[in-house]
Amino acid sequence: MKNDHSCQAGNGAKPASATDGNASGFTRMRSKLAFDRLVEMGAKMGMENPLFLCHERAAKATTLINGKEYLNFSTYDYLDINAHPEITEAVTEAAALYGTSAGASRLVGGERPPHRELERALAELYGVEDCIVYVSGHATNVSTLGFLFGHRDAIFHDGLAHNSLVQGARLSGSTRYSYAHNDCDALEELLRNKRAEHKRAVIVTEGLFSMDGNIPDLPRIIALKKQYDCMLLVDEAHSLGVLGATGRGAREHFNLDPTDVDMWMSTLSKSMCGCGGFIAGSRELVEFLKYGSPGFVFSVGMPPVIAVACRKALEIMLREPERVHKLQQISQFFIRYAAEIGLDTGAAQGYAVVPVMVGDPMVAGFLSNALFKRGVYVMPITFPAVKEGTDRLRFFLSAAHTEEHIRRALDAVREAMPEARAIVDEYKRTHADAAEGD
């Protein structure tokens, strides 16, 4: 991986490193060594580093990098709302009134009207009593699970649950059970065998899985939750704005009673065009979190301008459901066209996130490089983000994408795939021959 395209690093800039003998350094950490080997191998093979490229304008269906326009499949702007003029106007007015910082933790002096307005709107969206907004989406899960549960409790989570959910489970000190991805039979077996050993229990899943683009069987999970006396947290980071006729997420998709889910969680960085995260649920739960959750109590409040941006994005989504319909239609077209030209989209169901399965990390990297040279920007996803052997390109789709965009991108994948595989196969063959000759 040869070049550094970072906005911050200069040409040839190298990070400072500790000596091998420095116990506080990172040079001997297993994950770093594995990454170093990948970077070194990629550089020897002529692969440029696809990470940290500097985008010079808002990332929409297209983006601008080093003055060149690319088709963009690495943006969370699912509903094509980011940079909407109404949002720009609203945040400009809010910045003039509140500045750009909440100034303090909301508990002690950072509370502003936009925070409460956003929380009321999100609670109404989910049909529950209240909502709490955190300054970070990742911290929402870590802090909520870490605070609510303890060593006498159990957390049952999907095997492909997001890192934030797993880290929150670890922080809690609860016994953690991982069940096979989207396998409710495996979950039921774990609950039957282990639930009685713990005081409290929570089942954790996602509304739309961020790597595979598939949806869990929430009605059955809710039935298991009730049968085994568990709480339920559903992470809607990638399903809010994506599922349902009006973008209300998994609740609308399955026509669920909103109170059957104890914690509706989502980030605000995807369809809501901001940053941060929230938990929506009962008033008692939200009050408990507001007075005790470390990620809320000990963190500065969300900047009021971000709260205003998210509130306006939510308003636009509900006012213009055609954005949701366009996203769903283009996602389904992606699945159909990929199948038509022989590309594997794995378990994806055609909702905003669609992988093209590759199966080898170096092939995924070279494929991403080849597409970039053809004017298509899409990122490779490899271990440890996904299981070894399930390496892929991950496409994020937007209501701004057209069928022509999809055809152009997928045709480029089909054309570039054989060459990427040939480069990697040749490298492996050559180095295997060299090893045998030693």
Side-chain angles (χ1 to χ4, degrees), residues 283-322:
R283 185 168 290 108
E284 181 181 30
L285 169 71
V286 169
E287 184 176 2
F288 189 53
L289 291 172
K290 281 190 173 182
Y291 281 95
S293 178
F296 183 85
V297 173
F298 298 104
S299 177
V300 69
M302 172 185 285
V305 291
I306 298 298
V308 167
C310 295
R311 176 68 186 88
K312 181 58 70 172
L314 178 59
E315 177 186 318
I316 294 169
M317 180 191 84
L318 295 175
R319 187 183 72 211
E320 301 175 9
E322 60 270 20

Side-chain angles (χ1 to χ4, degrees), residues 86-112:
E86 289 184 32
I87 295 178
T88 302
E89 180 182 359
V91 299
T92 301
E93 294 175 0
L97 182 59
Y98 302 111
T100 56
S101 170
S105 117
R106 286 175 59 188
L107 196 70
V108 300
E111 190 84 353
R112 299 293 184 275

Side-chain angles (χ1 to χ4, degrees), residues 119 122-132 232 258 261-266 278-282 285-286 289:
E119 287 169 342
L122 290 168
E124 181 179 343
L125 179 78
Y126 277 93
V128 294
E129 293 177 335
D130 209 347
C131 175
I132 175 174
L232 175 59
V261 173
D262 302 274
M263 290 171 277
W264 291 104
M265 179 274 170
S266 185
F278 66 86
I279 298 287
S282 71
L285 169 71
V286 169
L289 291 172

Side-chain angles (χ1 to χ4, degrees), residues 102-174:
S105 117
R106 286 175 59 188
L107 196 70
V108 300
E111 190 84 353
R112 299 293 184 275
H115 296 129
R116 298 186 182 186
E117 291 164 6
L118 177 59
E119 287 169 342
R120 283 196 294 269
L122 290 168
E124 181 179 343
L125 179 78
Y126 277 93
V128 294
E129 293 177 335
D130 209 347
C131 175
I132 175 174
V133 169
Y134 291 76
V135 74
S136 158
H138 191 280
T140 300
N141 280 332
V142 173
S143 193
T144 297
L145 291 172
F147 173 63
L148 290 180
F149 302 96
H151 69 279
R152 298 174 63 188
D153 303 325
I155 296 178
F156 298 84
H157 68 79
D158 189 286
L160 293 187
H162 189 265
N163 172 272
S164 58
L165 297 164
V166 176
Q167 294 302 322
R170 287 173 173 165
L171 178 65
S172 72
S174 302

Side-chain angles (χ1 to χ4, degrees), residues 360-383:
D360 181 286
M362 299 308 296
V363 173
F366 269 101
L367 194 51
S368 176
N369 270 199
L371 292 171
F372 188 70
K373 292 173 184 176
R374 295 170 185 236
V376 179
Y377 182 72
V378 60
M379 286 290 96
I381 304 293
T382 63
F383 177 83

Side-chain angles (χ1 to χ4, degrees), residues 39-83:
V39 171
E40 182 181 3
M41 184 185 298
K44 287 179 179 178
M45 299 166 67
M47 183 193 300
E48 295 187 4
N49 191 338
L51 307 176
F52 296 105
L53 300 186
C54 191
H55 298 251
E56 295 156 6
R57 69 183 188 208
K60 306 290 286 181
T62 62
T63 190
L64 196 69
I65 302 172
N66 291 330
K68 180 180 176 181
E69 189 171 67
Y70 293 83
L71 276 182
N72 184 27
F73 293 96
S74 292
T75 177
Y76 295 147
D77 187 24
Y78 292 139
L79 298 179
D80 189 26
I81 293 176
N82 189 32

